[in-house]
Amino acid sequence: MANFSYDALDNSGESESGYLIADSVEEAKNELKNRKLIPLKVKETKKFFHLPFFNSISLSQLSLFSRQLSTLINSGMPIDQSLDSVALQTGSANFSNVIKQVSSKVKSGFKLSESLSEHPKVFDNLFCSLVKAGETSGELGYILNKTSDFLEGRAKMSQEILGALTYPIILFLVSIGVIGLLMVFVVPGVVSQFSGLNQELPLITKIFIALSNALSSYIFYSFLVLIGFGLVILSRIYGLKKIKRSSDKFFLKIPIIKNFLLDADLSRYTSSLSMLRSGGVSIINALEISAETISNLYLKDQLKKISDKVKEGESITSSLTSIPEIPPMVIHMVDNGEKSGKLEEMLEKVSEYLESRFESSTKIAMNMLEPMVVIFLGLFVALIVLAILLPLVQLNTLSSSL
């Protein structure tokens, strides 16, 4: 699909301009006519610099969209009018255009879930399935409100991770910069003073001289470039997904990192599964859709197999047991839910527990990470000072002995 800019007139003769997404100019004009606009000029816009990050719709925006739409629908306003109202309140021009296109589809007789599914980059399978479940049950407003809570929780988790990591990452980068400057400019100038002396330099001084020479050499940077090219070639041969899958599997074997990854992913998985089942989505579809919320590719592949096993007659509990990475607590809770007939409630409790554990673990880890970065910088600077002072101590000892 391409982006088009347009100039048009509404029913009152007022001019309107903006952007929309369509497959062709004709489709763009038809879209404007569906909005009861008279197209004057429709032109495809060429993007010389495509930055998906700036054009993507955030979880916070989707959460707000769901909340606003839920409020309007619960107040009795028709869906198409609710969408038009939300589009006017949306700060993002890109998102506003998407909502207008969804509204146009609804006005043409399509269901909301069908209209949303036309924009998979904005509304994923999980979102569309929840809306469809709300349409089927007649509780669309309630489902949208629950969806907003779910998206808000995901957005909050992402923001907490980003906020917690920002300071340590900046501190680490500054530390690397300071160490690099010391190694390239300070160490060579000081150590060169000892080059004319006929004495054996300490081992630590020799190591730092070698490191300094390496960082000052073009061979070192050429080597880094070759490594970069090698990684690009490997990604082309094996594919980025295969490499990421292997790295994700490796991370799940590291004890501390494993707990962080599993808590975050399984919290999303169990929460989405609970919501889908509560909305009346079949267990097979719910399992397939929920697996798409997993960020770890290796774990996602394992969880995708569960729906096939359930189709063959296995229980969810026995299917989860075959995945060694799943914590026993999660398996026991799901087992209790299946036996008691309260699977949705148990899944929600599991999600809340894992999210709470993830948040507390993240805070502890980040509180430990900051002093560790400071200690690392301090130790490295201390070693540099030691590498410079040891030859001076040797020189003073030699002078006193003479």
Side-chain angles (χ1 to χ4, degrees), residues 159-179:
Q159 288 168 1
E160 283 179 353
I161 295 171
L162 184 62
L165 285 174
T166 299
Y167 178 69
I169 287 175
I170 293 174
L171 189 61
F172 180 75
L173 292 175
V174 170
S175 302
I176 295 297
V178 170
I179 290 169

Side-chain angles (χ1 to χ4, degrees), residues 143-272:
I143 292 293
L144 282 170
N145 193 50
K146 292 288 288 181
T147 303
S148 178
D149 291 337
F150 171 71
L151 293 172
E152 197 174 287
R154 286 180 60 183
K156 182 184 175 184
M157 186 180 290
S158 300
Q159 288 168 1
E160 283 179 353
I161 295 171
L162 184 62
L165 285 174
T166 299
Y167 178 69
I169 287 175
I170 293 174
L171 189 61
F172 180 75
L173 292 175
V174 170
S175 302
I176 295 297
V178 170
I179 290 169
L181 289 173
L182 288 173
M183 294 298 294
V184 174
F185 296 105
V186 177
V187 173
V190 176
V191 174
S192 63
Q193 304 299 320
F194 308 114
S195 58
L197 301 175
N198 295 321
Q199 65 172 359
E200 184 72 16
L201 293 174
L203 178 61
I204 188 171
T205 306
K206 289 180 179 179
I207 292 172
F208 273 96
I209 290 173
L211 285 172
S212 177
N213 291 335
L215 289 172
S216 304
S217 172
Y218 290 109
I219 297 174
F220 173 74
Y221 298 103
S222 301
F223 180 67
L224 290 180
V225 171
L226 284 175
I227 291 175
F229 275 119
L231 291 174
V232 171
I233 292 169
L234 282 174
S235 66
R236 292 289 184 181
I237 294 173
Y238 295 103
L240 287 174
K241 277 195 173 182
K242 191 172 182 180
I243 294 172
K244 188 178 185 305
R245 188 177 289 107
S246 300
S247 62
D248 285 348
K249 185 178 180 180
F250 171 74
F251 286 135
L252 287 177
K253 293 179 180 179
I254 303 174
I256 299 175
I257 296 177
K258 172 186 174 180
N259 293 334
F260 280 109
L261 295 175
L262 287 177
D263 286 351
D265 273 342
L266 291 179
S267 173
R268 287 194 299 269
Y269 178 77
T270 52
S271 179
S272 58

Side-chain angles (χ1 to χ4, degrees), residues 62-101:
L62 277 177
S63 175
L64 181 60
F65 165 77
S66 303
R67 186 83 67 194
Q68 291 174 330
L69 192 59
S70 168
T71 303
L72 292 171
I73 290 173
N74 284 333
S75 69
M77 186 180 290
I79 294 174
D80 57 340
Q81 293 180 25
S82 300
L83 287 166
D84 291 336
S85 177
V86 174
L88 293 173
Q89 299 175 58
T90 303
S92 167
N94 183 35
F95 195 21
S96 179
N97 283 324
V98 170
I99 297 171
K100 286 177 182 177
Q101 291 180 56

